């Protein structure tokens, strides 16, 4: 089956849910952020600090296109939807799930986070970024899963139900 791409804002649980989902499906789990760090031999923080966001986005697009197209759960960076090219790739090659977490919940999770350069900006900027990206996530997704206050296994079950609907052709949201 085509791979599953998890999209959503920083701290929405893509890695946690993706790992558990992959285990459940017995598929491999991959992560575009991790692939960038491995392939370019630098942490994301260092890439942003030394080369800037545009270079990071170029790396991100490059690794996205190397991700397995079948039987993989792919966690993506929160900014993957910024580029039209990436959105088209996701929609064309995978089943896209938006993990929809409220900003208030994300704030609690990332309160001590030091690894995300765009999170460390002031909170007003983060709110604008969240609002701006929200529709991009919605418009790119085949399935939207609200995660607020839910346990990981409940979210994974919801995702699996959506996949089963899609496989059996019942998912009315699936694009032609
Ligand atoms: C980013 C999100 C991060 C990482 C980078 C940029 C963003 O990934 O790709 O720091 O632009 O939202 P996570 O969504 O896994 O935190």
């Amino acid at each position: 089956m085509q791979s599953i791409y998890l999209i959503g804002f920083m701290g929405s649980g893509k890695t946690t849910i993706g790992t558990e989902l992959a285990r459940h499906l017995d598929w491999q789990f991959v992560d575009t952020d991790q692939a960038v760090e491995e392939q370019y031999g630098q942490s994301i923080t260092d890439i942003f600090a030394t080369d800037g966001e545009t270079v990071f986005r170029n790396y991100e697009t490059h690794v996205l296109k190397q991700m397995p197209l079948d039987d993989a759960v792919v966690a993506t960076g929160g900014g993957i939807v910024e580029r039209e090219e990436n959105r088209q790739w996701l929609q064309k090659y995978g089943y896209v799930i938006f993990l929809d977490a409220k900003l208030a919940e994300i704030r609690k999770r990332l309160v001590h986070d030091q690894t995300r350069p765009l999170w460390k900006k002031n909170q007003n900027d983060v709110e604008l970024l969240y609002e701006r990206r929200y529709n991009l996530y919605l418009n790119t997704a085949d399935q939207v899963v609200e995660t607020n206050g839910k346990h990981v296994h409940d979210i994974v079950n919801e995702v699996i139900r959506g996949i089963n609907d899609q496989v059996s052709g019942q998912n009315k949201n699936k694009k032609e």
Side-chain angles (χ1 to χ4, degrees):
M1 189 185 149
Q2 62 180 179
S3 292
I4 293 171
Y5 296 107
L6 298 179
I7 62 170
F9 206 68
M10 295 171 260
S12 59
K14 291 164 293 188
T15 303
T16 307
I17 304 298
T19 306
E20 193 52 28
L21 179 62
R23 199 183 60 77
H24 210 94
L25 295 170
D26 202 16
W27 287 6
Q28 64 173 314
F29 172 74
V30 284
D31 183 318
T32 58
D33 285 341
Q34 200 186 325
V36 165
E37 292 188 332
E38 281 170 11
Q39 196 164 132
Y40 297 97
Q42 266 181 297
S43 71
I44 288 171
T45 308
D46 286 347
I47 297 169
F48 269 80
T50 51
D51 303 315
E53 182 170 352
T54 304
V55 169
F56 171 76
R57 297 289 168 218
N58 292 339
Y59 292 169
E60 187 176 48
T61 299
H62 186 72
V63 300
L64 174 64
K65 294 181 178 177
Q66 295 173 336
M67 296 287 116
L69 297 180
D70 296 297
D71 298 347
V73 176
V74 183
T76 61
I80 203 108
V81 294
E82 293 280 0
R83 284 196 176 172
E84 159 105 45
E85 180 184 358
N86 296 347
R87 298 197 298 273
Q88 283 180 1
W89 183 276
L90 295 168
Q91 290 183 313
K92 182 165 181 195
Y93 291 108
Y95 181 69
V96 185
I97 298 169
F98 169 28
L99 297 181
D100 181 5
K102 283 193 181 129
L103 188 54
E105 188 145 327
I106 291 171
R107 279 205 173 101
K108 282 189 220 153
R109 289 185 200 153
L110 297 187
V111 69
H112 299 303
D113 186 82
Q114 294 298 322
T115 63
R116 295 173 170 91
L118 294 184
W119 181 255
K120 291 201 287 181
K121 297 175 111 187
N122 76 57
Q123 286 302 299
N124 194 34
D125 285 349
V126 168
E127 194 160 334
L128 290 174
L129 189 66
Y130 181 93
E131 281 167 12
R132 193 169 58 73
R133 285 183 181 170
Y134 194 83
N135 281 331
L136 295 175
Y137 295 132
L138 276 184
N139 292 335
T140 309
D142 294 297
Q143 187 186 348
V144 181
V145 178
E146 215 195 275
T147 64
N148 303 299
K150 291 183 189 161
H151 290 293
V152 172
H153 67 266
D154 291 330
I155 298 168
V156 168
N157 286 339
E158 206 173 317
V159 167
I160 287 168
R161 274 199 301 278
I163 296 167
N164 288 339
D165 285 352
Q166 194 242 353
V167 167
S168 60
Q170 290 164 4
N171 190 336
K172 303 282 190 290
N173 294 327
K174 184 67 193 167
K175 60 205 174 278
E176 294 299 313

